[in-house]
Amino acid sequence: MAGDINLNDLLRRYRTHPFEDYVVETPHTGKIALKVEQGQEVKGPSGKWGQKPGTLLFVLERERNPKKIYSKSTGVVSEVRTDLDDTFVEAGEPLLTIQHRLNKEEIIDRILKEVLSIYSAPQRARYFLMPEIATQIEKDIEKGVPIKKGDEVLIMSLMKRDTILEYDGEPGVIYKVYFQSGQTVEQGQPLLGVCPPTKLQYVQKVVQRIRTEWDE
Amino acid sequence: MSVSKIDMEDASKLLSALIDRINYLIDIKKDPEWADLDELLERASALRQAQFELSEEEYRSRLERIEDRVSFLEDRVAEKLTPAEIVNIVRSPQRFTLQDILDNVYDSYTELGGDGERNVDPAVVVARATISRRVKNKIYSHQVMVIGHEKGRGEEFRNGGSAKPWGNAKALQYMKVAENEGIPIHFFIFTPGSFPIEDYPGAAQQIARNIYAMAKLRVPMVSFISEGGSGGAEAIGLSDMRLMGSRGYYSVISPEGAAAIEGKIREGQRVPKELIEKCAEQLHMTAADNLKLGTIDKVIEEPALGARRDDFAFFRRLRYEMIKATDEVVLNTKSFKTFRAYALRRKKAEEVESTTFDVVVNWSLTDAETKRLLVHRSHKYRNMGTDFVIEPEESSLPGLKDVKEILKNCYYEARYGLLKTHRRNFQKVLAEVSGEGSVLLRTVTEPVKAAYDFVFPEPERPKRLHRANGVDTQSIFLEEWEQYVSPLANEDRTVTCPNAEKYGCQDLWVPDLYGESCGVCPTCGHHFPLEYQWYLKNLFDRDSFQEFNEHISSGNPLNFEGFGPRLKRDMQRTGRRCAIITADAKIRGIKVVVAMLYSNFRSGTVGTAEGEKFVRACDKARITRRPLLAYIHTTGGIRIQEGTLGVVQMPKCTLAVREYIDSGGLYIVVYDNNSYAGPVASFLGCSPYQFAIRSSRIGFAGPRVIRETTGEDVPPDYHAARNALSRGHIQGIWDRKDFRKNLYDALLRMGSPSLYYR
């Protein structure tokens, strides 16, 4: 089955290389002073608002303006171009790569993103599932609730005005509901994840396997 | 009574009391090992356990030994209490709270707007209460409004008496109720400081509103301070008589906060105990110190180690003193010196320990008396701290200054007061008569009007700026640019805009940025800080900026260790004597009085010299009928090294502002860079027109203080001007390039008709 092969491929891909690689390039020309070494662990921004910068990667100086470049992600430094240290470089020069090891949830998220079609909120409002769909989901989420284009799935409630939203994506089965009924959802945030019916079982299986077997 | 004479039940009660007393000593010393207090506590606890195992005689003798030891230690502690220990007394859970005062000082009370936790802010308690006195076997009761902080008896929701902005708003609401009903207000201050959050109505802005209202509240007010934590205390602290418990403290900052600043302690690190003790001493925060500085009126004696919940003798004393203080305030407003005032004074002179009264005073005031009350209040606060202002004599002829002052007052009163009012009334009548439209009448009134206009010509209206060649120009910066460029521009390098990542701003070449761009990022509009001189040159008309009171100098009134050299260094570096510049200036022809706090001198902090100069600027603006502009280049708050002398600048300056605004003045505040704490929470935050230069920050406490007091972190842009605008703290945000134009527009649109150019 096509879906089967696809998912296995996906899984294999993550097994052989469970990393996300971030290539750090120079934002503009300037003289480089590297501040990290090959294999060094670096941290991404932290704090509630991401206000504390990550590890200092390098300083790029142009026109006597030393600009500090911080790591945007947590991981291990690799492929450092030490030959460029203390030299003048052009803009867009790849300087190092940060290998970010993916954890279970990040992998599941990525797989789901690739497989599911996401229905996101058209605007900031409170959302409810249509009552009949809600009952069906309550009854049996495992089996899935099939929907197709044109089905009325959601009620968007804003300032006491209710608008019924029709589903307009690929036909499939509601695999995941990302919001609580009556919750306010920001514009662009996911509401529903719809899975093609053929892939449903495999998705469930893969997620299950990652959850239980993956060691971090 | 000797321990051997009391019965066993009382003896066990005595033991419990002894354990409390030992714990209290541990609280004060903050060190259980001092004089083996922990061992003594263990002995007392063991005795309680062994009560039924020991013979009565043995039990009594051990009890007696413990009591002797405790009494001895108490005497030893009381003999030499350090300021840091007084702070510990105030913070002890055994110290009396407002609840004890309501129960014991007042006959009866009804709490308003609160029932325990059900309260808009349980840290602030408001009650209508009755207080009574006995005169010649007859009881007389008075109605009062009681407003104070409640620290609570271990109740977490009371927040240790730290009032939230809405708690202070509640206090203000009931002050107005009391004013409406004409009853005196008794304030009780038990706060470590205000809760530093910016949510509407805003910690700083609400305190400012409270002080502004109290400055002219038309009822007698008496306050009692037990724990006076800076701005939080001032929110309900401006009163006609300020009393203070002898074991209370009243301070500009907690000793821990001062120690962290003085010792440059990094966040999260422990502040050394010795440094805290030293700062507590240097801040002059005890009752005796404050009485000496003149920031309070009277000290109410407490027991040697401070009054606790069951010190009923102290509560009797407090009742007497509250009544007496209110009497004094009321009697001071009488037009003639009454015998009752004499009787009160005589009692004061005798310093009797009595708590009875010979006289009754009615606490309601007539209109004339209210007027006198407000005048007295004004004098009281205006004179606070003036003894510590360093002011070298300007003129060689003594008395010449006063004569000049009087002449000037007469001139402005005649020119803009008498003549203008008279003229306006006359014009009104003329307009009425002419309005009838009768040709006949107009022929009569025209010549009269012409004659009148000849005698009192229209004052010159402000005109648009003219270039030297006479060509009228719309650009307000063109000509100024030719004369002043920030010295920051003299560097050949680029800088990165802090918003570069968000908006993709290009690197900025410094000569361009600080030259043509006026320190503003052309991509995102971020304003880089500029030196205050830039504003002097670019905001006002050429050569119109004339400073006054330059000779008033900041000092070190408390002899704060190590502060003198720092002050000297700043004076040498800036060539100025204090952190405020006051001046006469013109903006497109309109004369204004300017007060300007700037960053280079002690971070724009306000002390006695700054306060005095500000008050004089207010008065000058009032007398000359000119608008008053407070441009805050930066202010870091009240200067902590001046202790409460700095704190009282809050009510003092606010009072001057209030009197200026009440007389019809236009007071505009413009914040730039960083404006925090005391000044914002008083004479700046009370302005009806507050604007901010883009990218500036306005707030009550900085992020570190917020984190340390509330335990919650705040977002990096918490104090940003745009957020202050969203919260309703300011009236608008101005771009630096439009500052002059906006200010000119504001001067034309706002303000009362009594201003001279109206």
Side-chain angles (χ1 to χ4, degrees):
Chain A
M1 215 186 286
D4 191 10
I5 297 160
N6 246 342
L7 284 170
N8 279 338
D9 272 358
L10 257 178
L11 208 54
R12 202 170 304 129
R13 209 168 77 209
Y14 283 117
R15 267 203 196 289
T16 50
H17 191 78
F19 298 105
E20 176 101 28
D21 292 344
Y22 296 98
V23 180
V24 182
E25 298 176 348
T26 49
H28 54 66
T29 56
K31 202 173 158 192
I32 290 287
L34 279 169
K35 298 289 174 193
V36 286
E37 292 166 2
Q38 180 81 22
Q40 185 181 329
E41 273 189 32
V42 290
K43 286 209 168 69
S46 57
K48 200 169 166 188
W49 301 273
Q51 79 273 31
K52 292 177 193 154
T55 314
L56 178 62
L57 297 178
F58 60 91
V59 178
L60 183 64
E61 186 173 338
R62 181 180 67 175
E63 299 269 5
R64 295 171 58 214
N65 177 20
K67 193 178 286 180
K68 289 176 174 172
I69 308 291
Y70 298 96
S71 176
K72 294 259 166 34
S73 127
T74 303
V76 175
V77 175
S78 67
E79 297 168 37
V80 189
R81 294 280 307 278
T82 39
D83 54 314
L84 293 180
D85 196 10
D86 212 17
T87 60
F88 186 86
V89 293
E90 293 297 326
E93 185 77 47
L95 211 58
L96 52 92
T97 306
I98 295 171
Q99 278 198 330
H100 171 71
R101 181 178 268 279
L102 297 166
N103 61 28
K104 273 185 211 174
E105 291 309 313
E106 282 173 322
I107 290 175
I108 292 172
D109 244 28
R110 276 175 171 69
I111 290 178
L112 288 184
K113 227 181 243 172
E114 277 183 52
V115 179
L116 301 184
S117 54
I118 302 288
Y119 185 83
S120 33
Q123 66 178 92
R124 185 177 188 275
R126 290 169 68 205
Y127 289 90
F128 300 88
L129 282 167
M130 288 296 279
E132 50 271 35
I133 291 184
T135 349
Q136 280 182 44
I137 287 177
E138 240 170 65
K139 239 192 254 163
D140 197 1
I141 183 82
E142 290 297 309
K143 210 167 148 195
V145 180
I147 51 166
K148 56 180 191 303
K149 205 169 182 168
D151 280 358
E152 293 179 345
V153 280
L154 291 162
I155 302 167
M156 177 174 79
S157 174
L158 186 69
M159 297 305 290
K160 298 188 178 169
R161 240 180 31 204
D162 291 350
T163 315
I164 291 174
L165 298 180
E166 290 181 359
Y167 181 67
D168 59 357
E170 293 296 310
V173 173
I174 299 178
Y175 175 75
K176 196 165 180 183
V177 180
Y178 288 97
F179 69 100
Q180 301 257 314
S181 197
Q183 184 194 342
T184 303
V185 182
E186 295 295 324
Q187 185 190 11
Q189 292 301 306
L191 291 171
L192 301 174
V194 179
C195 178
T198 46
K199 293 183 186 170
L200 181 65
Q201 281 191 349
Y202 295 98
V203 171
Q204 282 167 349
K205 227 184 261 169
V206 167
V207 170
Q208 191 63 30
R209 258 168 64 192
I210 296 174
R211 285 240 161 89
T212 50
E213 293 170 21
W214 200 276
D215 17 282
E216 292 180 276
Chain B
M1 199 188 292
S2 159
V3 173
S4 54
K5 286 188 188 144
I6 57 177
D7 65 32
M8 274 308 274
E9 198 179 325
D10 285 346
S12 78
K13 269 187 201 159
L14 177 66
L15 182 59
S16 296
L18 277 175
I19 290 175
D20 281 348
R21 280 160 68 184
I22 300 169
N23 277 322
Y24 191 63
L25 283 176
I26 294 176
D27 277 347
I28 295 175
K29 279 288 168 189
K30 275 261 156 76
D31 179 13
E33 281 165 29
W34 182 83
D36 293 330
L37 277 172
D38 49 352
E39 202 185 296
L40 190 63
L41 186 64
E42 230 163 74
R43 256 169 63 199
S45 308
L47 184 61
R48 181 146 69 181
Q49 298 283 329
Q51 187 181 351
F52 301 105
E53 293 157 24
L54 294 171
S55 71
E56 206 168 294
E57 201 174 318
E58 174 67 16
Y59 180 78
R60 281 177 200 281
S61 92
R62 284 197 197 182
L63 188 60
E64 200 159 11
R65 278 206 299 277
I66 294 175
E67 200 201 8
D68 285 349
R69 177 78 183 149
V70 172
S71 301
F72 169 74
L73 290 177
E74 279 177 345
D75 288 347
R76 231 179 93 191
V77 174
E79 218 168 79
K80 202 171 166 278
L81 267 180
T82 66
E85 284 165 359
I86 288 180
V87 174
N88 294 340
I89 287 178
V90 170
R91 290 176 183 167
S92 164
Q94 293 189 39
R95 189 167 175 80
F96 65 99
T97 70
L98 179 58
Q99 186 62 54
D100 301 299
I101 292 176
L102 282 171
D103 289 338
N104 297 304
V105 171
Y106 296 91
D107 303 340
S108 62
Y109 68 92
T110 306
E111 190 179 341
L112 303 172
D115 179 11
E117 206 168 351
R118 300 273 160 256
N119 197 327
V120 65
D121 180 7
V124 178
V125 164
V126 180
R128 270 299 296 263
T130 52
I131 191 165
S132 65
R133 65 173 118 194
R134 177 186 286 271
V135 179
K136 294 192 190 81
N137 290 332
K138 208 172 162 205
I139 306 276
Y140 296 88
S141 335
H142 302 275
Q143 296 270 331
V144 289
M145 183 71 83
V146 176
I147 300 176
H149 303 109
E150 176 57 57
K151 291 181 86 70
R153 299 173 177 176
E155 296 150 327
E156 213 172 289
F157 59 83
R158 299 279 186 193
N159 216 353
S162 185
K164 299 208 165 114
W166 36 94
N168 283 329
K170 178 176 83 172
L172 180 59
Q173 179 193 344
Y174 288 104
M175 283 179 216
K176 294 202 167 146
V177 172
E179 184 180 38
N180 198 29
E181 297 180 359
I183 55 170
I185 308 176
H186 288 174
F187 293 113
F188 292 94
I189 299 165
F190 288 86
T191 186
S194 212
F195 198 72
I197 42 171
E198 294 296 326
D199 303 51
Y200 187 81
Q205 272 69 16
Q206 189 55 48
I207 295 175
R209 270 175 224 131
N210 281 23
I211 301 178
Y212 186 78
M214 282 187 283
K216 295 289 166 193
L217 211 68
R218 300 168 61 81
V219 286
M221 299 185 286
V222 175
S223 57
F224 172 83
I225 303 173
S226 163
E227 181 175 23
S230 192
E234 291 310 317
I236 57 167
L238 193 157
S239 57
D240 300 299
M241 183 78 90
R242 305 228 268 193
L243 312 177
M244 184 166 171
S246 63
R247 293 292 175 261
Y249 81 80
Y250 174 35
S251 172
V252 61
I253 189 172
S254 67
E256 291 83 0
I261 295 173
E262 282 296 303
K264 296 199 169 71
I265 308 290
R266 290 178 64 183
E267 194 172 349
Q269 279 180 341
R270 249 186 91 78
V271 185
K273 199 179 156 198
E274 298 71 38
L275 192 59
I276 297 176
E277 281 170 3
K278 198 170 147 200
C279 280
E281 204 175 312
Q282 301 242 45
L283 286 168
H284 288 65
M285 58 211 297
T286 64
D289 288 335
N290 275 296
L291 189 66
K292 231 182 277 165
L293 296 173
T295 51
I296 57 163
D297 298 296
K298 193 176 180 188
V299 177
I300 312 292
E301 275 307 318
E302 293 181 41
L305 286 180
R308 277 170 262 179
R309 297 230 152 106
D310 49 0
D311 276 314
F312 299 109
F314 170 71
F315 295 130
R316 265 199 304 280
R317 184 87 218 149
L318 186 59
R319 170 199 291 248
Y320 171 77
E321 294 288 354
M322 289 307 283
I323 295 175
K324 192 171 153 214
T326 320
D327 278 355
E328 275 180 45
V329 171
V330 170
L331 291 176
N332 257 336
T333 66
K334 304 289 175 197
S335 51
F336 59 95
K337 290 288 165 229
T338 57
F339 287 113
R340 290 174 296 181
Y342 168 72
L344 267 182
R345 257 209 320 281
R346 197 190 48 178
K347 236 179 172 178
K348 198 173 170 183
E350 286 169 8
E351 276 299 329
V352 276
E353 273 298 304
S354 136
T355 49
T356 57
F357 286 88
D358 303 336
V359 290
V360 192
V361 179
N362 186 346
W363 287 352
S364 59
L365 302 180
T366 63
D367 280 351
E369 286 164 355
T370 309
K371 235 178 217 169
R372 276 192 289 273
L373 175 79
L374 298 185
V375 169
H376 287 154
R377 195 180 298 157
S378 171
H379 281 307
K380 177 186 169 72
Y381 282 92
R382 276 167 173 271
N383 290 333
M384 257 188 205
T386 39
D387 293 348
F388 298 91
V389 174
I390 302 171
E391 187 181 12
E393 192 60 49
E394 268 184 308
S395 159
S396 53
L397 270 175
L400 185 67
K401 208 174 121 203
D402 295 339
V403 176
K404 263 176 155 174
E405 204 66 20
I406 292 166
L407 283 177
K408 207 166 71 186
N409 289 4
C410 293
Y411 169 73
Y412 284 109
E413 189 53 40
R415 172 143 189 215
Y416 299 122
L418 289 174
L419 289 187
K420 198 169 177 186
T421 325
H422 166 70
R423 189 168 162 266
R424 197 173 292 136
N425 290 341
F426 186 79
Q427 276 172 342
K428 215 169 153 192
V429 174
L430 264 188
E432 290 286 319
V433 175
S434 312
E436 294 298 314
S438 152
V439 179
L440 185 70
L441 263 177
R442 196 168 294 155
T443 50
V444 179
T445 57
E446 271 313 317
V448 180
K449 189 172 182 296
Y452 182 86
D453 284 346
F454 181 74
V455 181
F456 302 114
E458 280 265 323
E460 259 186 62
R461 293 258 154 195
K463 285 182 199 137
R464 240 188 219 168
L465 272 187
H466 289 277
R467 289 201 121 197
N469 56 11
V471 181
D472 205 357
T473 171
Q474 275 298 74
S475 165
I476 50 169
F477 274 109
L478 209 58
E479 63 269 53
E480 277 91 355
W481 275 120
E482 292 154 13
Q483 53 171 314
Y484 182 84
V485 175
S486 167
L488 291 169
N490 300 336
E491 243 186 319
D492 177 22
R493 65 183 188 101
T494 60
V495 289
T496 311
C497 174
N499 297 329
E501 223 156 90
K502 204 166 161 194
Y503 299 111
C505 313
Q506 303 275 315
D507 276 9
L508 304 156
W509 191 46
V510 165
D512 272 354
L513 173 67
Y514 290 109
E516 200 180 341
S517 302
C518 306
V520 177
C521 171
T523 313
C524 70
H526 174 79
H527 283 46
F528 289 77
L530 278 183
E531 72 283 354
Y532 73 94
Q533 289 91 339
W534 188 93
Y535 294 91
L536 298 188
K537 297 291 181 191
N538 287 298
L539 189 58
F540 307 107
D541 294 355
R542 188 181 293 184
D543 300 329
S544 71
F545 197 82
Q546 301 288 334
E547 279 190 52
F548 55 84
N549 288 330
E550 280 169 282
H551 60 292
I552 297 180
S553 170
S554 281
N556 187 8
L558 305 184
N559 290 321
F560 202 96
E561 206 179 295
F563 183 62
R566 278 186 265 167
L567 200 61
K568 215 168 173 185
R569 202 171 53 223
D570 275 8
M571 284 186 186
Q572 275 165 358
R573 207 182 46 188
T574 57
R576 295 184 177 278
R577 295 180 190 207
C578 68
I580 195 168
I581 301 170
T582 51
D584 289 313
K586 281 187 195 169
I587 292 165
R588 304 185 90 178
I590 300 179
K591 290 177 197 151
V592 292
V593 174
V594 184
M596 187 167 179
L597 284 166
Y598 64 102
S599 62
N600 314 40
F601 196 100
R602 309 293 333 134
S603 308
T605 48
V606 172
T608 37
E610 287 76 11
E612 183 64 23
K613 271 182 88 170
F614 185 84
V615 168
R616 290 191 194 182
C618 287
D619 288 348
K620 185 161 194 191
R622 181 167 50 88
I623 291 164
T624 56
R625 265 91 172 161
R626 284 177 195 164
L628 175 64
L629 166 71
Y631 168 69
I632 309 306
H633 182 253
T634 276
T635 181
I638 297 298
R639 190 167 300 156
I640 60 165
Q641 290 85 357
E642 292 197 16
T644 40
L645 282 176
V647 181
V648 293
Q649 302 308 314
M650 292 171 66
K652 176 175 168 170
C653 295
T654 313
L655 211 131
V657 165
R658 173 79 193 246
E659 285 171 1
Y660 168 67
I661 293 178
D662 284 355
S663 74
L666 167 60
Y667 178 46
I668 297 179
V669 174
V670 183
Y671 301 106
D672 200 352
N673 302 317
N674 296 300
S675 309
Y676 285 109
V680 182
S682 55
F683 59 95
L684 303 176
C686 67
S687 165
Y689 304 112
Q690 300 171 59
F691 297 91
I693 299 295
R694 200 171 296 284
S695 309
S696 58
R697 280 167 295 274
I698 303 136
F700 183 60
R704 174 174 170 171
V705 175
I706 297 179
R707 274 195 295 273
E708 282 173 358
T709 27
T710 68
E712 301 248 340
D713 205 356
V714 291
D717 65 345
Y718 189 61
H719 294 107
R722 58 175 184 278
N723 288 329
L725 186 61
S726 316
R727 294 182 191 115
H729 297 345
I730 53 174
Q731 278 63 51
I733 296 179
W734 289 350
D735 279 337
R736 187 179 286 147
K737 285 185 180 177
D738 297 333
F739 191 2
R740 185 170 150 88
K741 180 182 154 291
N742 286 340
L743 196 57
Y744 177 71
D745 289 350
L747 288 172
L748 288 191
R749 290 200 196 106
M750 303 154 188
S752 88
S754 69
L755 295 172
Y756 82 99
Y757 60 91
R758 296 261 156 197

